[in-house]
Amino acid sequence: LQESMIAGGLRILAAPVLDHDVIPVGAISIVRLMSYSSHEEMRARAVEPVLAAARSIARALEASGSTVLSLG
């Protein structure tokens, strides 16, 4: 969880999507206006759902047989 250094007033939370070898193959993130919630509130409400989403994406990639993401 970090406050944006590029665009002021934003709070950003990101989590890596890891393959079965624990190598990052992607990421998921959310952004919220700082005026809508405190750092502590966003941490309490959003960290676990974002981590769960990253794990779910990783499982879906593995189930589909994907081990490496292609940009092309």
Side-chain angles (χ1 to χ4, degrees), residues 2-69:
Q2 179 136 12
E3 294 175 4
S4 177
M5 299 178 85
I6 297 172
L10 299 177
R11 193 165 275 124
I12 302 164
L13 175 63
V17 175
L18 305 172
D19 70 6
H20 64 279
D21 292 321
V22 195
I23 295 172
V25 294
I28 182 170
S29 65
I30 61 169
V31 176
R32 185 164 176 113
L33 290 172
M34 290 173 64
S35 59
Y36 282 10
S37 64
S38 68
H39 182 91
E40 294 77 19
E41 180 184 5
M42 188 168 173
R43 177 180 294 278
R45 296 183 68 196
V47 168
E48 189 49 43
V50 169
L51 292 174
R55 288 189 296 268
S56 179
I57 293 167
R59 283 191 302 274
L61 287 172
E62 187 173 351
S64 72
S66 295
T67 56
V68 177
L69 293 178

